[in-house]
Amino acid sequence: MRKSPAMSFRKFFVVAAAVAALGVAAGAAFAQTAQQKAMIDSAKAQGTVGEQADGYLAFRQTPSDAALTQAVTVTNNARREAYARSAQAAGTTAEVAAARAFETIVLPRISSGEWYRNAQGQWVQR
């Protein structure tokens, strides 16, 4: 059965709305503590950590700080849960919700000089 363009648009709208809500509601949950958020922000500025097109943080360089590794893990786990909730509400997959969140929320917020891994797997500096 072929879906109508209206259904596709509606599904896209629901995903976009869910992703937007995710950005507002789950923003504080991504970095569980102020200290973890500060560590991640510093690591992004130094180029050690970057965002990925799949919606998660990744290390560009081998981490040597256990606290930073823990902060990235906590943040990614919180994102995974938020993407799953968003996907369930929108009737899509967590992967789609995560990719949409990257495109609409995360990518526009990446500061000049910070790094992100694009959908082709290449690290790009903004």
Side-chain angles (χ1 to χ4, degrees):
M1 183 170 149
R2 187 163 183 227
K3 291 183 180 179
S4 71
M7 283 296 281
S8 297
F9 177 77
R10 182 173 181 265
K11 190 169 189 172
F12 175 78
F13 179 76
V14 170
V15 169
V19 167
L22 167 71
V24 173
F30 286 171
Q32 294 298 307
T33 67
Q35 182 181 10
Q36 288 173 329
K37 181 177 179 355
M39 280 192 296
I40 289 170
D41 289 346
S42 176
K44 284 181 179 180
Q46 295 170 10
T48 305
V49 171
E51 295 285 353
Q52 299 185 113
D54 67 359
Y56 298 96
L57 294 170
F59 286 96
R60 287 191 56 247
Q61 302 165 359
T62 304
S64 60
D65 183 347
L68 177 59
T69 300
Q70 178 64 24
V72 168
T73 299
V74 166
T75 299
N76 282 342
N77 287 342
R79 288 183 181 190
R80 187 172 292 105
E81 290 173 17
Y83 296 148
R85 285 191 307 272
S86 176
Q88 185 176 20
T92 189
T93 66
E95 291 78 15
V96 169
R100 293 283 184 232
F102 174 78
E103 293 170 5
T104 61
I105 299 167
V106 177
L107 186 58
R109 292 182 181 174
I110 295 174
S111 298
S112 179
E114 291 183 351
W115 292 82
Y116 67 93
R117 184 180 286 168
N118 63 22
Q120 292 75 39
Q122 301 163 322
W123 284 104
V124 178
Q125 188 174 29
R126 178 155 270 177

